[in-house]
Amino acid sequence: MNSTSDDPSLDDAPILHVDLDAFFASVEMLDDPSLRARPLAVGGSGERGVVASVNYEARRYGVHSGMSSVVARRRCPDLLIVPGHFERYEAYSRDFHAVVNDLTPTYEPLGLDEVFADLRGLARLKVRPLTAARALRERVRDELHLECGVGLARNKLFAKLASRRAKPFIENGQVREGPGVVWVSPAHEAAWLEELPVRALWGVGPATESKLGQLGVRSVRDLRRIDEAALARYVGSSMAATLVGFSRGEDPRGVVVERAAKSLGHDQTFARSLTGADVVRAVGHHAGVVSRALRERRVVARTLSLLVRFDDLTSVTRSQTLSFGVDDTAAIATLGEALLESIPSRGAVRLLGLYASSFVAREDNEVQLRFAWPEGDAAPREDGRRHQIGLEALRDAVDEVRAKFGVRAVARASELGPEGVRVDRQRGDDPFGPRPGDDRGVVSGP
DNA sequence: TCTGGGGTCCTAGGACCC
DNA sequence: TCTGGGGTCCTAGGACCC
């Protein structure tokens, strides 16, 4: 199916996809060679844990990433599940990107362990795609001591399918070596797609697969026969157009080199669900994580979102966009708490997430704040002064949240007395709490 | 199989402006 | 005063990726 005998031209194989094999698990085995011979997974080992990465020894037992740890251990009782060391993975990822960058600067990372690259810029260097792909694999192996699969094709769709085919695979419970590098020649594209289940296409998950099933669409061949308008009624017009394109082997997505982050956040599923004041404390902890990440990136966020997943697995989100950006822990914690207050409780909290978006460069935010500076007053110079303006505006924002959602109509478990009567939390040091003669924010409720 | 934590994108409705 | 269309921003939820 793939041709490895002659090296295609850049026109026939401009897009390369590299995917590191069992990345997290492989790094753990490099850091501790005694783990090599045994089935290993990286992830949470508790009741609510999920395995994020699995070595090939464990895959022989049918364990794969994304699987709950309970199920994984059922399939493989000898499975060793170790916690992740993400700084290590990030360090390896940086080295990986550096190796790709030596091949071409036109590359696009996906997560820590995958990269798309556009090789067209190498035309003048007379680089041949297969030669480049093999050299890339060699360098990843020699310098990082990691294995990877490389795919080459006309577009991202086929390059990704190809790299998957390049990797080791399990056959009859045994690990088989893959070819390492696979090129999908344009002449063979149709054959590649023909038998492929729709689930193998990028963007088709369980929900879309099920919707397509209702239309009788299971394979890419089925997809080609279906009317796009009919498809759109089930999966939306955007997804319909994408899928129809894929079914014809068309993928307009380019390699995007500098993809600026649009949001960041932190969420955590608790080993034991939280109630009452513990939830508020968790918001404070998340605020610390998020604000540090914002400062590290030298941006401030105008939008904050809070996600709460209850024990019944229902999720609720609340978000608030400010006219200015924030990056300090206290401000984010206060806003997060206001958002939390606005969510009607449905019992114990299983997962809490806090996310920041609508980034503004820190310097630009300062300019914005100066605009808001009262007439005739001096422009803020030192940080403390600037901070105060933020607090004033922030207080308004918190009031806005409370006004919008009618906070008094809802009480957290922590604020309920034994009879379910709301007890006001005493927070004399809270700069955002009610002030004397100030009843803003209390617009509804019993 | 009742499921993590980092993200991205899409959809649909409402508010607001021209 | 009522009406419509288009554009943009915000919000909530959902699906998907690694």
Side-chain angles (χ1 to χ4, degrees), chain A residues 22 36 46 86 136 162 216 240 249-250 259 262 271-272 275 288 291 308 316 358-360 411 415:
Chain A
R36 273 212 170 274
F86 290 90
L136 181 62
E250 295 159 9
R259 206 182 272 278
K262 296 187 172 165
R272 250 191 293 269
T275 55
S291 63
V308 175
V316 182
S358 306
F359 295 151
V360 177
E415 295 162 333

Side-chain angles (χ1 to χ4, degrees), chain A residues 105-419:
Chain A
T106 52
Y107 70 93
E108 173 185 345
L110 266 91
L112 296 177
D113 62 339
E114 284 185 35
V115 162
F116 280 110
D118 189 328
L119 304 180
R120 274 177 284 230
L122 305 178
R124 272 177 290 111
L125 304 175
K126 306 246 185 276
V127 170
R128 305 291 292 199
L130 273 180
T131 309
R134 293 194 188 108
L136 181 62
R137 272 194 95 224
E138 287 306 308
R139 278 200 61 189
V140 169
R141 179 181 290 157
D142 292 347
E143 296 174 26
L144 280 73
H145 310 290
L146 292 170
E147 298 293 325
C148 63
V150 183
L152 287 165
R154 219 168 34 80
N155 57 32
K156 281 183 164 180
L157 169 68
F158 287 112
K160 172 110 185 170
L161 291 171
S163 71
R164 196 181 306 170
R165 197 74 65 91
K167 287 162 156 288
F169 57 100
I170 307 295
E171 190 178 57
N172 301 325
Q174 296 303 313
V175 182
R176 306 274 184 200
E177 283 306 309
V181 178
V182 170
W183 166 49
V184 180
S185 91
H188 290 123
E189 286 177 3
W192 269 73
L193 285 180
E194 194 64 11
E195 299 304 325
L196 213 60
V198 284
R199 186 69 172 81
L201 296 177
W202 195 92
V204 179
T208 306
E209 181 185 30
S210 155
K211 285 181 196 161
L212 292 173
Q214 290 167 34
L215 280 163
V217 172
R218 278 169 195 90
S219 68
V220 174
R221 198 192 311 118
D222 298 334
L223 199 53
R224 240 180 340 241
R225 286 200 296 260
I226 203 108
D227 177 55
E228 184 176 328
L231 197 58
R233 281 193 287 277
Y234 279 75
V235 301
S237 56
S238 174
M239 174 71 83
T242 302
L243 290 180
V244 166
F246 283 174
S247 76
R248 297 175 182 146
E250 295 159 9
D251 182 355
R253 294 173 300 164
V255 171
V256 182
V257 176
E258 292 273 328
R259 206 182 272 278
K262 296 187 172 165
S263 73
L264 67 85
H266 178 67
D267 49 53
Q268 189 182 1
T269 297
F270 307 108
R272 250 191 293 269
S273 299
L274 303 185
T275 55
D278 288 340
V279 185
V280 183
R281 268 193 285 277
V283 170
H285 170 258
H286 283 42
V289 175
V290 168
S291 63
R292 274 191 294 277
L294 287 168
R295 291 193 293 269
E296 241 168 59
R297 291 165 162 79
R298 303 184 174 284
V299 293
V300 292
R302 286 183 49 231
T303 304
L304 252 84
S305 309
L306 189 79
L307 167 68
V308 175
R309 176 133 69 230
F310 295 100
D311 266 349
D312 64 2
L313 292 181
T314 59
S315 302
V316 182
T317 68
R318 286 287 183 273
S319 69
Q320 167 94 343
T321 300
L322 315 169
S323 57
F324 58 98
V326 287
D327 71 353
D328 70 282
T329 306
I332 291 171
T334 302
L335 212 47
E337 285 185 35
L339 290 169
L340 177 65
E341 286 180 40
S342 76
I343 295 178
S345 175
R346 301 194 55 167
V349 173
R350 170 196 182 92
L351 173 147
L352 189 80
L354 185 61
Y355 315 96
S357 55
S358 306
F359 295 151
V360 177
R362 200 150 68 180
E363 316 82 64
D364 296 342
N365 195 47
E366 239 172 317
V367 171
Q368 289 295 323
L369 288 169
R370 281 200 193 103
F371 275 127
W373 196 252
E375 298 252 1
D377 217 333
R381 243 164 286 153
E382 82 282 0
D383 226 33
R385 205 72 176 102
R386 194 196 111 202
H387 188 63
Q388 276 184 15
I389 305 176
L391 291 187
E392 277 298 321
L394 183 70
R395 195 199 324 256
D396 290 340
V398 169
D399 286 347
E400 208 181 306
V401 174
R402 293 181 172 154
K404 248 193 312 201
F405 298 110
V407 146
R408 298 282 162 154
V410 176
R412 289 197 303 270
S414 63
E415 295 162 333
L416 294 177
E419 281 81 44

